[in-house]
Structures are given as C-alpha cells and as structure tokens.
Amino acid sequence: MDPRLLLLVEDDAAFARTLARSFERRGYLVLSAASADEVKLLLQEHRPGYAVMDLKLAGNTSGLNCIQMLHEHNPQALIVVLTGYASIATAVEAVKLGACHYLAKPSNTDDIEAAFGRIAGDTEVELTQQTSSIKTVEWEHIHETLAESGFNISEAARRLGMHRRTLARKLEKRQVK
C-alpha cells in the first residue's frame, strides 16, 4: 500500500481535475473515479490510504456506497466526504460507514488535508445555544429522506408528500457549487 495514494471520487470532471492537480502538487498519487463502478474497479488493483468522496454522484447515486466499499477494502483508509448537500443525517451515516470527516462544499485542498489530520474527536468544540431555524429543520428532513431513498428524487418526493418538481426546486436553491 502506497501511504500517499489518494482515491478521488467526484463526478464533476472540472472540479475533480483541479482537486487532483492540487493533491499531486502536495505529493499524493491520485486515482480518480466518477462512479461506484469505477471505484470497485480501482479497488481491485489498488489500496488507497486516503480518499475524498463526493456524497452525491451522477445518476442520483450515493457516495455512501463508495465509503462503505473503501472502508471494507481498507479499514485504515482516511476518508473525507465532500458534499454540496450537507446534512446531519448524511454526516452521521458517512461516519458510521467509515469516513473520518465530513466537509461541506466549497472546501479546498487545505481543508481536506487538515480533515485527514483530525481523526480523533474534539471535546473542546464549542457548543452553541442557537436552535435550528425552520428552514434548517426542513432541509435536514428533506436530506434525510433523500438519503433513505438512495437519492432518488421521485421516491423522496413521494415520501415527503410533495411534487417531484417542488423537491427539485428546493434542492436547486440549497445547492452549493
């Protein structure tokens, strides 16, 4: 196992290229994949020690499957989830499946590399007294339902009792590029 071998799972080709170049400049050997099938193929021949996983991949597939696959392949791998669809529900699931950290986009190489170094929890993290807004609670509920339905928008909309287009519009408004 090459200790500086990094698996980058990102379906946005331009962002993946930029991130890969940045990690290569820092001394990592980067393997790129845009889907769970590509991850499966790469894991047959490689054992990465690091991974950056996008949560939502093309075709409404979930990066959570990739986290589980990599963690089963190499339990010592440091996996950071990077997503424009951050929610408490998916953060918890990602950590349960083996991710060491969870970052919302936009994040850069410095943020990701720092996350690789923050494996242990921090008991000194500041607790806030602020309650969640109704919009935040709604977003968390939507995202939890999306995760439960495997990021299938039609199924999530049915479970939420709303029209598919309404859900798609809400997701577009909250999307972080």
Side-chain angles (χ1 to χ4, degrees):
M1 173 175 81
D2 181 350
R4 298 289 280 185
L5 183 61
L6 181 136
L7 175 60
L8 175 59
V9 183
E10 172 63 61
D11 59 351
D12 179 340
F15 181 64
R17 265 191 317 276
T18 302
L19 206 53
R21 275 191 229 119
S22 183
F23 273 107
E24 286 168 350
R25 282 192 298 271
R26 292 170 185 243
Y28 291 86
L29 175 63
V30 179
L31 302 171
S32 293
S35 69
D37 291 337
E38 290 179 31
V39 169
K40 192 179 291 187
L41 288 173
L42 286 171
L43 291 180
Q44 290 175 2
E45 297 181 26
H46 303 282
R47 190 176 161 95
Y50 298 89
V52 178
M53 302 276 179
D54 188 7
L55 185 64
K56 188 171 184 237
L57 300 170
N60 286 328
T61 57
S62 171
L64 293 174
N65 296 331
C66 297
I67 295 167
Q68 184 176 29
M69 199 182 324
L70 178 59
H71 186 68
E72 288 172 357
H73 182 73
N74 180 7
Q76 286 77 38
L78 299 177
I79 305 167
V80 172
V81 175
L82 191 60
T83 183
Y85 298 90
S87 76
I88 293 169
T90 55
V92 169
E93 291 307 315
V95 170
K96 282 182 182 177
L97 291 169
C100 70
H101 222 289
Y102 184 97
L103 298 172
K105 287 181 182 174
S107 292
N108 59 31
T109 312
D110 290 334
D111 299 331
I112 297 166
E113 204 165 39
F116 286 143
R118 290 191 313 261
I119 302 166
D122 182 3
T123 59
E124 300 302 315
V125 72
E126 185 179 329
L127 302 175
T128 63
Q129 296 296 324
Q130 185 177 8
T131 58
S132 297
S133 71
I134 191 72
K135 287 184 179 185
T136 302
V137 172
E138 177 190 41
W139 176 248
E140 292 293 336
H141 182 60
I142 287 171
H143 208 278
E144 182 176 2
T145 304
L146 267 171
E148 288 171 356
S149 64
F151 291 91
N152 180 317
I153 293 177
S154 296
E155 175 61 18
R158 185 189 66 73
R159 291 179 186 185
L160 290 165
M162 67 174 65
H163 195 278
R164 184 188 57 77
R165 285 190 207 130
T166 302
L167 178 56
R169 279 193 293 274
K170 286 181 179 285
L171 292 172
E172 284 179 20
K173 284 182 183 177
R174 284 295 298 247
Q175 184 174 3
V176 179
K177 294 281 182 181

